[in-house]
Amino acid sequence: KYFEGLIEMSNRTGVAFTDLAESMYSALSAGVPQDNVLEFVENTVNLSKGGFTQTATAIDIVTTALNAYQMEMSEATHVQDVLITTQNLGKTTVDELASNMGKLIPTANGVNVAFDQLGAMYATVTANGVATAETTTYLNAMINELGASGSTAEKAMQAATAGTDMAGKKISEISAMGYDVTDVLKLMDEYAQSTGKSLSDMFSSSEGAKAANILLSNAESFKSNITAMIDSTGAAATAAERSFTVVSFDSEQNTP
């Protein structure tokens, strides 16, 4: 059944049978149910075509997100759409995201930062000229500091949120309430200014401070990007339709 399905898929998509077989094996190893694996692989071909990467690489980042966030397999298409939308709105590619985003997904999920919001973070920061790998480092530092009890950023957050409905809560609890990170950073910035300091002083690492400043300075775009991630249905399929394949041409034989 798999053999026949992969042959048909190869003919439809133009992707080599061996590549599809490797991708299917990776999907099964990552926990994709056997009954759904062929459909899952074919859908992920859209992501690989539109995201300038290999199907196996696309499968790796999608399954990483699904497993870390404990999503249902039915949400795989949304994950793909978010990745393409992140590529469209930022200065990055799905291939670059696949190489870096997996390092940050567990951290983000640990403090209830939804995958839509994570995509918006990458889109916002990379759009401001920060490379994808550096963006991962900056965001990881910022989120870790906000989530670590007793850290400079966590203490500043507690002081900044006093008197609000966020008072006394951890960043994971604040995220669960529906607030995004710029809502917290805005209060931290106001608190910093009231004490004659800056938002950067609220973080112990320069990397965390850089992420915080970029996101706060572009808070409106960030919130718009979150909405775009939520409303990204069909982005991967559209990107695949717009992609093209370059073939070599034998001028002597007049054949590709």
Side-chain angles (χ1 to χ4, degrees):
K1 178 182 177 182
Y2 287 150
F3 181 84
E4 293 175 355
L6 290 175
I7 288 291
E8 293 174 1
M9 192 187 307
S10 179
N11 291 334
R12 281 195 306 273
T13 64
V15 178
F17 173 88
T18 51
D19 291 340
L20 292 175
E22 179 184 350
S23 299
M24 185 192 74
Y25 180 81
S26 297
L28 289 170
S29 298
V32 177
Q34 294 181 10
D35 292 343
N36 299 338
V37 70
L38 289 174
E39 179 183 2
F40 178 85
V41 171
E42 184 160 4
N43 287 339
T44 311
V45 168
N46 286 335
L47 178 62
S48 64
K49 286 185 174 182
F52 310 101
T53 190
Q54 300 297 313
T55 305
T57 303
I59 283 176
D60 181 58
I61 185 60
V62 171
T63 54
T64 295
L66 290 174
N67 291 334
Y69 279 95
Q70 297 183 330
M71 300 182 193
E72 298 294 332
M73 194 54 57
S74 58
E75 297 180 80
T77 301
H78 179 65
V79 171
Q80 295 170 18
D81 290 335
V82 167
L83 290 168
I84 287 293
T85 303
T86 301
Q87 173 181 277
N88 292 345
L89 297 177
K91 291 182 180 178
T92 186
T93 65
V94 173
D95 189 66
E96 292 176 307
L97 291 171
S99 299
N100 293 279
M101 203 177 201
K103 304 169 188 174
L104 184 55
I105 285 175
T107 304
N109 181 49
V111 295
N112 291 327
V113 172
F115 190 68
D116 292 327
Q117 188 176 158
L118 185 59
M121 286 182 180
Y122 269 97
T124 304
V125 177
T126 59
N128 279 273
V130 182
T132 309
E134 289 177 302
T135 294
T136 303
T137 300
Y138 294 173
L139 291 175
N140 193 53
M142 181 192 73
I143 294 172
N144 269 322
E145 283 198 62
L146 289 172
S149 297
S151 70
T152 300
E154 199 269 343
K155 289 179 179 178
M157 181 184 71
Q158 292 298 332
T161 57
T164 73
D165 60 350
M166 305 180 201
K169 292 181 170 58
K170 297 179 180 180
I171 188 65
S172 57
E173 296 172 312
I174 294 173
S175 298
M177 291 168 66
Y179 292 105
D180 65 56
V181 69
T182 59
D183 296 320
V184 175
L185 294 175
K186 182 176 184 295
L187 292 176
M188 290 175 66
D189 184 52
E190 292 172 353
Y191 169 74
Q193 291 184 38
S194 72
T195 59
K197 297 181 179 180
S198 69
L199 181 60
S200 295
D201 295 322
M202 303 295 100
F203 290 84
S204 60
S205 72
S206 60
E207 292 83 4
K210 287 175 183 177
N213 278 298
I214 292 172
L215 289 172
L216 184 59
S217 298
N218 297 275
E220 187 174 337
S221 295
F222 173 65
K223 290 180 182 294
S224 175
N225 286 343
I226 293 176
T227 300
M229 300 300 162
I230 295 171
D231 299 334
S232 61
T233 303
T238 300
E241 290 172 2
R242 292 176 178 173
S243 67
F244 59 90
T245 301
V246 178
V247 297
S248 60
F249 191 81
D250 189 327
S251 58
E252 294 182 0
Q253 299 295 326
N254 288 325
T255 58

